């Protein structure tokens, strides 16, 4: 008998028939003799709908109230799924994130899990119940509800699996596993049998939404092997683990992230401390800077360009404008029509010519590269947003098909 954590995303529980489909998957796992802890997301587009509802009331709602609102989506799912299990004759109990012991820091809308208190979950398991836990939510030290950021139910599932020392953590979703690109956009994308934590972490961080990047971080830290699997077609999925069989694949995947803006500060004085002065203004506002490019400008001047998450672009520009006197001023501009397209694969460490193949694919589509960044296992380029889908297809063709 094993202890299995099974997570079901929004589309997997979007309506009555999907809920019963999920309940049957859980029942079959129970009938095979296993203990099951289930983590569920809000149904279908519920979270987006709740965000839209908030926007009807306020253009800048308080983050605390947003978390209070968004956490309600998952609460609907756990109750309905527990009812469906009970209808099938399976003993089940639903628990909110706080009942299940998710203690987080105070950062509303992007809270991090600080501690797991699993007594309640364990006592329910001891009573032979399937425990259905609301993903995405926790409680901070002031007993206020927090959420873990979009896609956070994956993280909830991995955290529970780690805390309970579960034998398996299965992430059920609406595709059959992790593919070499988003299978909804690239029909030729192929399913990977296995992928390493490091590769998956890059793919998830670079835009492949199939797993939330924090969940992969956590899985790597606690060595929780993940299985990404379809809730609709019962076929083998993708295993995410420390070491994977590379099968001679140079590139494991191509990802696109449109959540990027490029900010340029032109003609700043070319003197020591300039980068510190510019970027400390952004650090003060907790804005994450990703790719940075510095080039020489006119006489005694230089240009700085860097990327920030799209949602932080306005705040970044405001911070730079307010603090312009600190770095001697410059022309500040922002380009929001950008996308980051990346390739990921541990195999590129030991092969030459990977970058050149990627750039050739972009050239073949006449796509201009604005910025480039590399690490041992990934190459990213910033290009115009309208070219991004074409770029992903061309790059995927060059490496995988
Ligand atoms: P869930 O609601 O189950 O959490 P998500 O919508 O968060 O599901 O993630 C699944 C989606 O991720 C798929 O429907 C697919 O379109 C998208 N996706 C993006 N990149 C990939 C990839 N490389 N492999 C598989 N799916 C991907
Ligand atoms: N419901 C949340 C979201 O839509 C969490 C999740 O689905 O993982 O982001
Ligand atoms: Mg998800």
């Amino acid at each position: 008998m094993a202890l299995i954590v099974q997570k079901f995303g929004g589309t997997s529980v979007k309506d009555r028939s999907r809920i019963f489909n999920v309940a049957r998957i859980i029942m079959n796992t129970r009938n095979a003799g296993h203990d099951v802890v289930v983590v569920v997301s809000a149904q279908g587009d519920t979270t987006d709908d709740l965000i839209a509802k908030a926007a009807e009331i306020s253009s800048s709602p308080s983050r605390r109230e947003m978390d209070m609102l968004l956490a309600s989506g998952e609460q609907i799912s756990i109750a309905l799924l527990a009812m469906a299990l009970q209808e099938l004759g399976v003993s089940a109990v639903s628990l909110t994130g706080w009942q299940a012991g998710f203690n987080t820091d105070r950062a509303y809308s992007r809270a991090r899990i600080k501690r797991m208190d699993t007594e309640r979950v364990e006592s329910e398991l001891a009573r032979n119940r399937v425990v259905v836990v609301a993903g995405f939510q926790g409680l901070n030290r002031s007993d206020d509800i927090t959420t873990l950021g979009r896609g956070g139910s994956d993280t909830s599932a991995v955290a529970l699996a780690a805390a309970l020392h579960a034998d398996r953590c299965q992430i059920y979703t609406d595709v059959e596993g992790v593919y070499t690109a988003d299978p909804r956009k690239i029909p030729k994308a192929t399913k990977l049998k296995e992928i390493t934590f490091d590769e998956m972490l890059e793919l998830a961080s670079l835009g492949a939404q199939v797993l939330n990047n924090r969940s992969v971080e956590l899985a790597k830290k606690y060595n929780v092997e993940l299985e990404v699997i379809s809730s609709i077609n019962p076929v083998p999925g993708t295993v995410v683990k420390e070491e994977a069989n590379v099968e001679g694949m140079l590139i494991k995947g191509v990802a696109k992230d449109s959540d990027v803006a490029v900010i340029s500060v032109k003609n700043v004085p070319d003197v020591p401390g300039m980068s510190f002065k510019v970027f400390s203004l952004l650090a003060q506002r907790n804005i994450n800077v990703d790719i940075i490019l510095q080039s020489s400008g006119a006489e005694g001047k230089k240009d700085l360009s860097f990327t920030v998450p799209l949602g932080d672009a306005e705040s970044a520009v405001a911070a730079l404008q307010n603090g312009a006197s600190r770095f001697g001023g410059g022309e500040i501009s922002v380009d929001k029509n950008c996308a980051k397209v990346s390739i990921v694969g541990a195999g590129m460490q030991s092969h030459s010519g990977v970058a050149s193949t990627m750039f050739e694919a972009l050239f073949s589509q006449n796509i201009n590269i604005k910025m480039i960044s590399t690490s041992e296992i990934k190459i990213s380029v910033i290009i115009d947003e309208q070219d991004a889908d074409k770029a992903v297809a061309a790059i995927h063709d060059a490496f995988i098909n």
Side-chain angles (χ1 to χ4, degrees):
M1 191 177 88
L3 170 60
I4 302 178
V5 173
Q6 298 184 320
K7 181 257 170 179
F8 297 91
T11 32
S12 301
V13 292
K14 71 172 183 194
D15 55 24
R16 178 189 176 279
S17 92
R18 288 284 173 87
I19 288 180
F20 273 103
N21 169 60
V22 163
R24 279 189 291 273
I25 294 173
I26 298 164
M27 182 176 68
N28 292 339
T29 315
R30 278 293 294 161
N31 290 345
H34 305 304
D35 281 337
V36 191
V37 174
V38 178
V39 173
V40 264
S41 300
Q43 292 183 280
D45 297 326
T46 301
T47 308
D48 290 328
D49 295 344
L50 290 171
I51 291 171
K53 268 187 193 300
E56 286 173 15
I57 305 288
S58 166
S59 60
S60 55
S62 108
R63 298 207 7 189
R64 180 191 183 278
E65 302 312 330
M66 274 312 279
D67 279 10
M68 183 65 96
L69 177 69
L70 297 193
S72 68
E74 270 66 15
Q75 209 167 321
I76 296 173
S77 303
I78 53 171
L80 294 176
L81 181 56
M83 289 175 199
L85 284 161
Q86 289 160 5
E87 279 295 306
L88 299 182
V90 179
S91 173
V93 61
S94 66
L95 297 179
T96 61
W98 42 102
Q99 287 177 307
F102 282 84
N103 298 286
T104 74
D105 64 14
R106 314 183 79 85
Y108 296 112
S109 84
R110 48 163 179 252
R112 281 182 177 268
I113 300 165
K114 285 281 174 214
R115 200 183 69 246
M116 297 288 307
D117 295 331
T118 53
E119 297 92 77
R120 177 72 190 271
V121 173
E122 283 171 88
S123 76
E124 297 294 353
L125 285 172
R127 299 173 71 182
N128 265 321
R129 287 168 156 179
V130 169
V131 188
V132 184
V133 178
F136 179 54
Q137 49 175 251
L139 207 62
N140 67 19
R141 271 175 56 197
S142 321
D143 280 352
D144 281 333
I145 294 172
T146 54
T147 65
L148 309 180
R150 298 306 304 268
S153 297
D154 297 334
T155 312
S156 308
V158 176
L160 262 178
L164 295 167
H165 304 288
D167 299 281
R168 225 177 305 161
C169 184
Q170 299 178 311
I171 309 288
Y172 283 87
T173 185
D174 58 359
V175 288
E176 289 176 11
V178 180
Y179 284 70
T180 49
D182 185 341
R184 296 187 193 286
K185 303 252 174 64
I186 307 289
K188 284 196 257 177
T190 53
K191 184 167 68 186
L192 300 163
K193 255 199 183 127
E194 297 180 347
I195 184 167
T196 65
F197 287 132
D198 288 335
E199 289 169 321
M200 191 63 233
L201 186 56
E202 289 286 8
L203 273 182
S205 307
L206 295 166
Q209 102 204 61
V210 61
L211 281 177
N212 170 284
N213 59 348
R214 276 197 194 162
S215 74
V216 186
E217 222 169 63
L218 214 58
K220 180 178 162 67
K221 183 167 173 193
Y222 294 101
N223 203 13
V224 177
E225 206 171 285
L226 302 178
E227 188 182 359
V228 180
I229 184 172
S230 163
S231 63
I232 297 136
N233 297 330
V235 294
T238 302
V239 177
V240 189
K241 55 185 189 170
E242 189 58 45
E243 283 188 20
N245 229 332
V246 283
E247 293 160 2
M249 276 180 92
L250 198 53
I251 295 305
K252 288 294 179 65
V254 187
K256 175 187 105 169
D257 184 1
S258 300
D259 180 27
V260 188
V262 174
I263 295 185
S264 302
V265 191
K266 293 214 169 96
N267 284 323
V268 294
D270 189 9
V271 293
M274 193 48 57
S275 299
F276 161 67
K277 287 173 184 165
V278 169
F279 292 112
S280 63
L281 290 168
L282 304 172
Q284 279 162 12
R285 295 204 184 195
N286 282 324
I287 297 172
N288 263 339
V289 174
D290 183 23
I291 305 175
I292 300 173
L293 201 72
Q294 179 181 303
S295 49
S296 47
E299 188 85 351
K301 304 274 186 185
K302 63 183 169 189
D303 299 342
L304 282 170
S305 298
F306 51 89
T307 62
V308 297
L310 195 53
D312 289 336
E314 296 300 338
S315 163
V317 169
L320 293 170
Q321 279 165 346
N322 292 339
S325 58
R326 277 193 61 192
F327 58 88
E331 299 140 41
I332 301 161
S333 61
V334 56
D335 179 358
K336 295 183 182 173
N337 287 316
C338 309
K340 180 160 61 178
V341 172
S342 311
I343 55 174
V344 173
M348 71 173 75
Q349 289 178 84
S350 51
H351 280 79
S352 55
V354 175
S356 125
T357 304
M358 182 182 188
F359 301 156
E360 185 184 13
L362 293 168
F363 174 49
S364 75
Q365 300 296 314
N366 207 22
I367 295 170
N368 191 33
I369 301 173
K370 300 176 178 213
M371 290 172 140
I372 300 170
S373 118
T374 64
S375 80
E376 283 183 341
I377 66 167
K378 70 126 207 246
I379 302 172
S380 299
V381 294
I382 301 289
I383 58 175
D384 276 338
E385 154 91 276
Q386 67 264 25
D387 291 332
D389 287 330
K390 210 165 59 175
V392 172
I395 295 168
H396 190 271
D397 262 350
F399 284 103
I400 287 151
N401 299 119

